[in-house]
Amino acid sequence: MNVVLISTYDLGRQPFGLASPAAFLRGAGHEVRPVDVTREKLREDDIRQAGVVAFYLPMHTATRLALPVMDRVRALNPSAHLCAYGLYAPLNADVLREHGVHTILGPEFERALVDLCSPGGFRVQPDDPLPRITFVTPDRSDLPPLTRYASLQIGDERRVAGYTEATRGCKHRCRHCPIVPVYDGRFRAVDAGVVLADVRAQVAAGAQHITFGDPDFFNGPTHALRIVEALARECPGVSYDVTIKVEHLKNHAAVLPRLRDTGCAFVTCAVESFDDEVLEKLEKGHTHADFAAVVEHCRAIGLTLSPTFVAFTPWTTLDGYAAMLQEIDRLHLVPAVAPIQYAIRLLIPQGSRMLELPEVRRVVTGFNPASLAHGWRHPDPRVDALQQEIERLVGSRLNAPRDEMFGRAWDLAHAAAASVPPAREPLVSRAAVPYLNEPWYC
C-alpha cells in the first residue's frame, strides 16, 4: 500500500515520528513517503496515489497546523484513509474526526500503523492505546538532511543536531502535563541497542549533537546512563541534551557528573514556578528551595541547566511575576532561559487534570476547537494584559539576545506592578550557554 506520513511541526527537529513508523511500514512491505511540511512541499501526486495518509501529532502546535492540511488532503484524495497518531491525537479525537480522520492512534503507534495498512486493517481499531512495542531502528533515509533543521548554538559555534528517544511517557502525573491524560503514570523504554543504532546513523549523516526527547530522561536512570556512556565511547566529541525533572536532579545528584563527563551540553528542567503553592497545585514534586539547591549543585559541577516556566497561571499576580524575574536574575539564570519562557501561559487541553481544580473551573471559558484548548481568563485582567504584552515582545524577536529581552520583560513587569525594581544582579562572566535555536517548547 502507498502510505504518506505527514509532520506539520516538531520543534525544528527532523521528525522521529516519521522515521520510526517508516521503518516499521517498509519492513512490512509498504511504500512510504514521509513529508515534513516545515521543510518540503506536499506533493499532490503523492496524496492522490496514497491509500493511507497519516498525520504525526506530537504536540499542540503540530495539531493546530495539521487541521488545514487534513482538509487539503481530503480535497485531493477523498478516498484516502486518514489517520492521526501521536500524543495529541487521542486528546483531540472529536475535532480530528470533524476534519475527516478515520483512525486515531496514540503515542505508541508503530505497530498499529502497520496493522492499519494491512488487509482488513481499516476496520480494526486497536484495543490497547499503549501497546508494548518491540522497536526497530528508525529509517531517516528520505527525510530532509539534518543540516536543514535546528542546530545547537554555543557562542558563535553551530553544531548540527539530531534527535532520538530513549523512553516514552512518564511515571509522574504532573497536573498540567499533556502526557498524563494518555500515559497516566506509565512509561516505555526503547531498547538501548535501537537508540544507539539511531544515534550512530545520525552521526554518520553529520550530527554533532543529539537531543534525547524523552519527557524525563531519568524515569529510568540506569537505562539512560547506559545509553549516554555508550554514546561517549562510540561517538567521542558528540554532545547531547536531555530533559530531567527538578525532583530527579535533586534525588540523583550523585550521578549528575556522569552526564557532564559524557558530553551533556545542557539539561532542560521544567521549573514552572517559584511559588510553592503553585508548584503544589501542579503536583510538580519539588519546591522553590529544591530548585535553588539544584542550581547551586549543577553550577558547582559544571552542568548547564535550561529552565522552563509556566509563567502565567490563574494564580499569577503582577507582583508574583515580577518576583519570578527577580529570582531568575538572583540565580544568574538569565543567559539560560529562552525569552519565550517569560510569556508561556498555562495550556489546558482536553483531558487535562487542571480541570480537577475548582479554582480552574471557575476561570475556564469553555473548549475552543480552533485553539484545541480550554480558554481561561485571569481574575485580574491586568495579568492577562501583561501576558499579551510579553508575548508580543518575545514573539517578535525569538532569537534576540537573552539579556536584552530579559531587561525589557523586567521593565514591563515592574511597570505593570507599579513597583520600583531592585538593582539587577551583575551578569556572571562564564562560557556561552548552549541552546537549540528553535525556542518554542509546546
Side-chain angles (χ1 to χ4, degrees):
M1 179 177 291
N2 288 329
V3 183
V4 175
L5 304 175
I6 297 176
S7 172
T8 53
Y9 180 68
D10 199 8
L11 284 169
R13 308 178 292 217
Q14 190 188 67
F16 180 91
L18 299 189
S20 183
F24 277 80
L25 288 162
R26 287 171 177 153
H30 300 286
E31 295 291 329
V32 182
R33 169 70 172 122
V35 183
D36 178 358
V37 297
T38 71
R39 298 298 186 273
E40 54 190 327
K41 291 183 178 180
L42 191 66
R43 296 198 302 221
E44 293 186 359
D45 286 348
D46 290 333
I47 298 300
R48 291 192 177 99
Q49 295 168 15
V52 172
V53 180
F55 292 82
Y56 175 48
L57 307 179
M59 61 189 71
H60 182 257
T61 301
T63 309
R64 293 185 64 183
L65 293 175
L67 298 180
V69 184
M70 291 173 181
D71 295 340
R72 183 182 172 199
V73 166
R74 288 172 63 199
L76 290 170
N77 186 352
S79 65
H81 187 96
L82 269 58
C83 171
Y85 64 97
L87 181 67
Y88 268 77
L91 292 178
N92 296 286
D94 291 343
V95 173
L96 294 173
R97 289 194 175 96
E98 290 174 2
H99 285 265
V101 173
H102 303 92
T103 298
I104 308 290
L105 303 177
E108 304 292 325
F109 46 77
E110 287 90 345
R111 181 54 57 190
L113 271 172
V114 172
D115 292 343
L116 174 69
C117 297
S118 301
F122 291 171
R123 297 187 297 272
V124 179
Q125 293 285 334
D127 296 327
D128 183 359
L130 292 175
R132 291 194 176 273
I133 299 172
T134 301
F135 293 97
V136 301
T137 305
D139 183 349
R140 303 174 181 273
S141 58
D142 53 356
L143 286 170
L146 293 174
T147 52
R148 294 187 59 193
Y149 288 92
S151 59
L152 180 77
Q153 299 290 146
I154 309 177
D156 294 330
E157 180 188 2
R158 175 182 180 272
R159 294 187 186 178
V160 177
Y163 173 90
T164 195
E165 297 174 359
T167 61
R168 293 176 173 177
C170 186
K171 66 182 182 181
H172 298 276
R173 301 183 72 250
C174 301
R175 194 186 295 275
H176 63 305
C177 179
I179 296 170
V180 175
V182 179
Y183 279 94
D184 195 26
R186 291 169 286 180
F187 79 103
R188 302 279 192 263
V190 181
D191 180 79
V194 171
V195 178
L196 290 167
D198 189 28
V199 170
R200 287 188 213 102
Q202 293 182 78
V203 171
Q208 302 160 298
H209 177 86
I210 298 293
T211 291
F212 287 95
D214 312 33
D216 194 301
F217 199 58
F218 271 9
N219 271 322
T222 301
H223 175 67
L225 290 168
R226 184 184 302 123
I227 288 171
V228 296
E229 287 172 348
L231 167 62
R233 288 194 305 271
E234 297 182 28
C235 305
V238 174
S239 57
Y240 66 89
D241 69 273
V242 296
T243 297
I244 303 177
K245 281 173 64 71
V246 174
E247 176 184 359
H248 286 167
L249 292 171
K250 174 190 173 186
N251 294 341
H252 299 289
V255 303
L256 296 185
R258 293 166 68 181
L259 296 181
R260 175 202 62 202
D261 295 342
T262 52
C264 184
F266 64 90
V267 176
T268 299
C269 55
V271 182
E272 315 302 36
S273 176
F274 293 128
D275 186 322
D276 284 342
E277 291 186 9
V278 173
L279 291 171
E280 186 174 354
K281 292 178 189 297
L282 300 181
E283 297 187 8
K284 284 301 300 177
H286 72 264
T287 65
H288 180 182
D290 290 337
F291 177 64
V294 164
V295 169
E296 182 178 352
H297 178 66
C298 288
R299 187 165 289 145
I301 65 172
L303 184 64
T304 298
L305 292 180
S306 178
T308 63
F309 296 89
V310 180
F312 290 91
T313 72
W315 305 282
T316 301
T317 65
L318 295 178
D319 287 338
Y321 183 82
M324 179 194 79
L325 297 182
Q326 292 167 18
E327 184 65 353
I328 290 171
D329 189 50
R330 187 188 72 82
L331 293 172
H332 301 291
L333 290 173
V334 172
V337 178
I340 192 63
Q341 295 301 321
Y342 306 133
I344 296 295
R345 178 181 171 88
L346 177 68
L347 182 69
I348 307 178
Q350 288 284 57
S352 174
R353 291 190 61 224
M354 293 305 302
L355 296 172
E356 297 171 352
L357 298 176
E359 58 265 48
V360 171
R361 294 197 299 271
R362 282 195 293 270
V363 299
V364 163
T365 57
F367 182 75
N368 183 341
S371 65
L372 299 179
H374 292 270
W376 60 273
R377 293 193 185 96
H378 195 282
D380 183 349
R382 297 175 302 164
V383 175
D384 283 340
L386 176 63
Q387 189 275 330
Q388 292 164 14
E389 195 169 11
I390 297 289
E391 186 172 59
R392 284 192 295 271
L393 167 68
V394 300
S396 63
R397 299 183 62 197
L398 290 174
N399 291 307
R402 293 185 171 188
D403 185 58
E404 175 191 337
M405 298 308 287
F406 178 84
R408 295 180 67 180
W410 173 278
D411 291 341
L412 288 172
H414 287 90
S419 61
V420 177
R424 288 274 314 275
E425 292 284 332
L427 283 179
V428 177
S429 177
R430 57 187 180 123
V433 173
Y435 67 94
L436 292 167
N437 60 2
E438 169 60 65
W440 293 92
Y441 194 70
C442 62

